[in-house]
Short mmCIF file of all heavy atoms in Angstrom, two decimals:
data_model
loop_
_atom_site.label_atom_id
_atom_site.label_comp_id
_atom_site.label_asym_id
_atom_site.label_seq_id
_atom_site.Cartn_x
_atom_site.Cartn_y
_atom_site.Cartn_z
N ILE B 251 24.83 59.29 39.94
CA ILE B 251 25.85 60.10 39.32
C ILE B 251 26.90 60.44 40.37
O ILE B 251 28.11 60.32 40.15
CB ILE B 251 25.29 61.34 38.65
CG1 ILE B 251 24.44 60.98 37.47
CG2 ILE B 251 26.41 62.30 38.24
CD1 ILE B 251 23.66 62.08 36.87
N ALA B 252 26.43 60.83 41.56
CA ALA B 252 27.37 61.25 42.60
C ALA B 252 28.26 60.11 43.00
O ALA B 252 29.49 60.26 43.12
CB ALA B 252 26.54 61.75 43.85
N LEU B 253 27.67 58.94 43.17
CA LEU B 253 28.46 57.77 43.52
C LEU B 253 29.47 57.43 42.45
O LEU B 253 30.64 57.08 42.70
CB LEU B 253 27.57 56.56 43.78
CG LEU B 253 26.80 56.61 45.06
CD1 LEU B 253 25.83 55.44 45.17
CD2 LEU B 253 27.76 56.61 46.27
N MET B 254 29.07 57.58 41.17
CA MET B 254 29.98 57.25 40.08
C MET B 254 31.14 58.19 40.06
O MET B 254 32.28 57.81 39.85
CB MET B 254 29.21 57.27 38.73
CG MET B 254 29.18 55.95 38.04
SD MET B 254 28.07 55.91 36.67
CE MET B 254 28.99 56.74 35.45
N ILE B 255 30.87 59.48 40.25
CA ILE B 255 31.92 60.48 40.27
C ILE B 255 32.85 60.19 41.42
O ILE B 255 34.07 60.25 41.32
CB ILE B 255 31.34 61.90 40.33
CG1 ILE B 255 30.64 62.22 39.04
CG2 ILE B 255 32.40 62.90 40.65
CD1 ILE B 255 29.91 63.51 38.99
N LEU B 256 32.27 59.92 42.59
CA LEU B 256 33.02 59.73 43.78
C LEU B 256 33.94 58.49 43.69
O LEU B 256 35.06 58.54 44.13
CB LEU B 256 32.05 59.62 45.02
CG LEU B 256 32.68 59.83 46.40
CD1 LEU B 256 33.21 61.28 46.45
CD2 LEU B 256 31.59 59.60 47.40
N PHE B 257 33.38 57.43 43.22
CA PHE B 257 34.12 56.13 43.33
C PHE B 257 34.72 55.67 42.04
O PHE B 257 35.52 54.69 42.01
CB PHE B 257 33.24 55.03 43.89
CG PHE B 257 32.89 55.28 45.33
CD1 PHE B 257 31.59 55.60 45.68
CD2 PHE B 257 33.85 55.13 46.26
CE1 PHE B 257 31.28 55.81 47.02
CE2 PHE B 257 33.54 55.36 47.63
CZ PHE B 257 32.20 55.72 47.99
N LEU B 258 34.32 56.23 40.91
CA LEU B 258 34.84 55.70 39.61
C LEU B 258 35.55 56.74 38.80
O LEU B 258 36.78 56.68 38.60
CB LEU B 258 33.64 55.13 38.83
CG LEU B 258 34.02 54.01 37.90
CD1 LEU B 258 34.37 52.77 38.64
CD2 LEU B 258 32.82 53.68 36.98
N ILE B 259 34.83 57.76 38.40
CA ILE B 259 35.40 58.74 37.52
C ILE B 259 36.49 59.58 38.30
O ILE B 259 37.58 59.83 37.77
CB ILE B 259 34.28 59.64 36.95
CG1 ILE B 259 33.37 58.79 36.11
CG2 ILE B 259 34.88 60.73 36.07
CD1 ILE B 259 32.09 59.45 35.69
N GLY B 260 36.11 59.97 39.52
CA GLY B 260 37.06 60.79 40.32
C GLY B 260 38.40 60.08 40.48
O GLY B 260 39.45 60.65 40.10
N PRO B 261 38.40 58.87 41.04
CA PRO B 261 39.70 58.16 41.21
C PRO B 261 40.46 58.03 39.90
O PRO B 261 41.67 58.23 39.89
CB PRO B 261 39.25 56.82 41.77
CG PRO B 261 37.99 57.05 42.41
CD PRO B 261 37.31 58.16 41.67
N ILE B 262 39.71 57.71 38.82
CA ILE B 262 40.38 57.48 37.52
C ILE B 262 41.10 58.82 37.11
O ILE B 262 42.28 58.82 36.73
CB ILE B 262 39.45 57.03 36.44
CG1 ILE B 262 39.09 55.53 36.72
CG2 ILE B 262 40.05 57.13 35.04
CD1 ILE B 262 38.14 55.00 35.73
N LEU B 263 40.36 59.93 37.23
CA LEU B 263 40.92 61.22 36.82
C LEU B 263 42.15 61.58 37.73
O LEU B 263 43.15 62.00 37.22
CB LEU B 263 39.82 62.33 36.91
CG LEU B 263 38.75 62.27 35.84
CD1 LEU B 263 37.82 63.40 35.99
CD2 LEU B 263 39.38 62.34 34.41
#
Side-chain angles (χ1 to χ4, degrees):
Chain B
I251 293 173
L253 285 176
M254 243 170 77
I255 290 174
L256 197 62
F257 290 110
L258 207 68
I259 299 170
I262 288 178
L263 288 180

